Amino acid sequence: MHEMSITQSVVDICTEHANGRRVLAVTLEIGDLAGVVSDAVEFCFQACTAETLLEGAVLTIERVEPAAVCQDCAQENRISSYFDPCPACGSHRLTVTRGEELRVKDLEVE
């Protein structure tokens, strides 16, 4: 389960930026194309935060819906996978503009 190592990395990032203060809440953005199972991250969060500055912190996960811009017609549209065609012209020459995110969006400390 790679979500455990991802969650540990999130905890490390938050600890580094907390500057020794206790962390009360963490907000993560996870794109639907990121290949990360949000439920698994939530499950791992308690284990990874035990006996750290993040112990007891509230984890909020915000999903980011994928979108792509078509290189042929320049339309930006929502997509559900990397293999979707452009809904406007049917082209498969799409550049993903969002939905691959995996980042700490917000950190609340004491």
Side-chain angles (χ1 to χ4, degrees):
M1 173 186 340
H2 73 285
E3 281 79 1
M4 180 64 88
S5 62
I6 288 170
T7 306
Q8 185 59 56
S9 294
V10 167
V11 170
D12 293 344
I13 289 166
C14 293
T15 300
E16 179 182 334
H17 291 280
N19 296 322
R21 297 173 289 174
R22 190 166 98 72
V23 176
L24 304 174
V26 176
T27 303
L28 293 181
E29 283 185 330
I30 300 178
D32 288 342
L33 297 177
V36 177
V37 179
S38 298
D39 290 343
V41 171
E42 288 183 75
F43 177 79
C44 295
F45 190 74
Q46 282 189 337
C48 289
T49 58
E51 299 181 22
T52 71
L53 294 173
L54 283 83
E55 186 169 23
V58 175
L59 174 65
T60 303
I61 295 178
E62 296 179 357
R63 301 297 305 177
V64 179
E65 289 186 355
V69 66
C70 179
Q71 295 176 13
D72 292 330
C73 73
Q75 292 289 319
E76 183 176 28
N77 294 290
R78 288 188 352 195
I79 58 171
S80 59
S81 78
Y82 286 109
F83 308 107
D84 288 353
C86 173
C89 73
S91 172
H92 284 277
R93 294 175 12 101
L94 303 176
T95 302
V96 175
T97 56
R98 67 178 180 270
E100 298 175 315
E101 295 84 353
L102 176 56
R103 71 177 126 223
V104 177
K105 178 181 177 185
D106 191 41
L107 185 64
E108 182 182 335
V109 297
E110 278 189 329

